[in-house]
Amino acid sequence: MLLFSMLIAGSFSFGRLIAGDIDPIALTTMRFVLAALILGVYLVVTRKFHILDYRRPWRFFVLGGFFGAYFVLMFFALRLSSSLSLSVIFTTMPLMAAMLDRLFFRRASSATVWTALMIGAVGACWVVFDGSWTALTTLSIGLGEILFFAATFSHATYAVLIPRMRLDEEIFATGFGVALSATVILMVIFWSRVAETDWTGLSLQVWSTLIYLVVMATVLTLGLITFAASKLPSAKVTAYTYLTPFWVVLLDSILGQELPALIVLFGGIPISLALMVLFLEKS
């Protein structure tokens, strides 16, 4: 999950650079097409493809629907908001996951975990509202942030459901099922937008970012979160997302992006505290 947080940070910083150059739905669809292709070839070559792994196919469509919705909403949001702001919203995923776990599966978390999650959420709100009490009290939040809250909820739902919907198949077999199902859903609903995209006219930067998104931020992260979710409670799995904003700040500075005001960065203090508590919590 530490590696997961780093790879996800790249999707924010690099995705921001091309958000206005390609239709987010077309980009997400191609992302899943290529991810499914890579995973399918891997499973066949390594002789790990077994048709029985795909019994009860409805579960892959449920997971693929939530995972696909996250990426579509994310790239719409990146057109409207900063990569840092969205990455901080992403840190609310542990709280969402813990609440969903409790609501639907009666899975309890300790008081320490709940306290840490609330502290982290406070830090996230501080950054989202630019450290402004006025902005917070008047709920001054942009459309990009609203869209990404919905995206984060979708990702949290995916993280909660995957350990319960995955049977005994190999990790990348699950990833293949999810990627293929997401591809089918997006193709059926948005085929016209995919077909209308001028794929040959896209810049090298768009294709380079797409390759990163497919290999690093889709194929690898699918495997990482699937493995982690089988070993850790949902709240702890998603707790590592608290590190994402720090990687984003580092990447944005390397890419020449303007850093936020110092008062905004103070939101990292409660986020860091929440992360430390969750790291040390053993239950």
Side-chain angles (χ1 to χ4, degrees):
M1 289 308 297
L2 179 64
L3 180 58
F4 174 90
S5 71
M6 296 173 66
L7 297 177
I8 289 296
S11 69
F12 286 108
S13 295
F14 299 138
R16 172 70 173 168
L17 297 177
I18 66 165
D21 298 334
I22 183 174
D23 184 332
I25 292 174
L27 173 65
T28 303
T29 303
M30 182 57 69
R31 177 181 191 164
F32 281 113
V33 167
L34 296 177
L37 179 62
I38 292 171
L39 288 168
V41 169
Y42 165 79
L43 291 171
V44 171
V45 170
T46 58
R47 298 182 179 180
K48 293 181 179 180
F49 181 85
H50 306 290
I51 194 65
L52 289 178
D53 285 342
Y54 303 99
R55 61 196 183 277
R56 303 179 191 173
W58 61 268
R59 58 199 174 97
F60 294 110
F61 282 93
V62 172
L63 293 171
F66 281 113
F67 209 47
Y70 164 74
F71 287 114
V72 169
L73 291 171
M74 171 187 174
F75 278 96
F76 274 115
L78 279 169
R79 291 182 166 188
L80 303 169
S81 303
S82 70
S83 54
L84 176 62
S85 179
L86 298 191
S87 69
V88 172
I89 291 175
F90 196 62
T91 65
T92 62
M93 190 167 73
L95 180 59
M96 293 182 186
M99 294 172 68
L100 288 169
D101 244 357
R102 179 64 178 171
L103 181 62
F104 293 107
F105 300 106
R106 303 296 184 221
R107 189 171 186 175
S109 297
S110 69
T112 302
V113 170
W114 280 108
T115 301
L117 294 176
M118 294 303 296
I119 292 172
V122 169
C125 287
W126 180 273
V127 178
V128 170
F129 290 102
D130 293 327
S132 169
W133 177 254
T134 301
L136 175 62
T137 55
T138 58
L139 288 181
S140 178
I141 188 170
L143 177 59
E145 284 80 8
I146 293 172
L147 287 174
F148 198 68
F149 268 117
T152 303
F153 181 82
S154 184
H155 201 304
T157 304
Y158 172 84
V160 169
L161 290 178
I162 196 166
R164 293 165 176 85
M165 290 192 170
R166 181 182 173 222
L167 300 179
D168 56 353
E169 68 266 10
E170 201 254 6
I171 286 176
F172 285 113
T174 303
F176 173 70
V178 171
L180 183 61
S181 299
T183 297
V184 172
I185 292 170
L186 291 168
M187 283 290 195
V188 169
I189 299 175
F190 301 110
W191 167 250
S192 61
R193 297 182 69 156
V194 176
E196 290 168 1
T197 300
D198 180 14
W199 296 102
T200 59
L202 296 176
S203 67
L204 179 60
Q205 179 173 268
V206 172
W207 280 110
S208 299
T209 302
L210 178 59
I211 291 171
Y212 174 88
L213 294 174
V214 170
V215 178
M216 308 300 286
T218 302
V219 173
L220 283 182
T221 57
L222 271 171
L224 291 170
I225 196 170
T226 300
F227 177 80
S230 68
K231 304 293 182 181
L232 298 170
S234 298
K236 284 198 170 185
V237 168
T238 53
Y240 284 79
T241 60
Y242 282 134
L243 287 170
T244 301
F246 298 99
W247 302 127
V248 169
V249 169
L250 178 61
L251 278 172
D252 281 355
S253 64
I254 293 173
L255 294 171
Q257 301 294 315
E258 183 178 353
L259 294 179
L262 182 60
I263 190 172
V264 176
L265 295 178
F266 282 154
I269 297 175
I271 291 175
S272 301
L273 177 60
L275 180 63
M276 291 297 293
V277 171
L278 289 168
F279 274 165
L280 296 174
E281 172 66 19
K282 299 299 183 183
S283 62

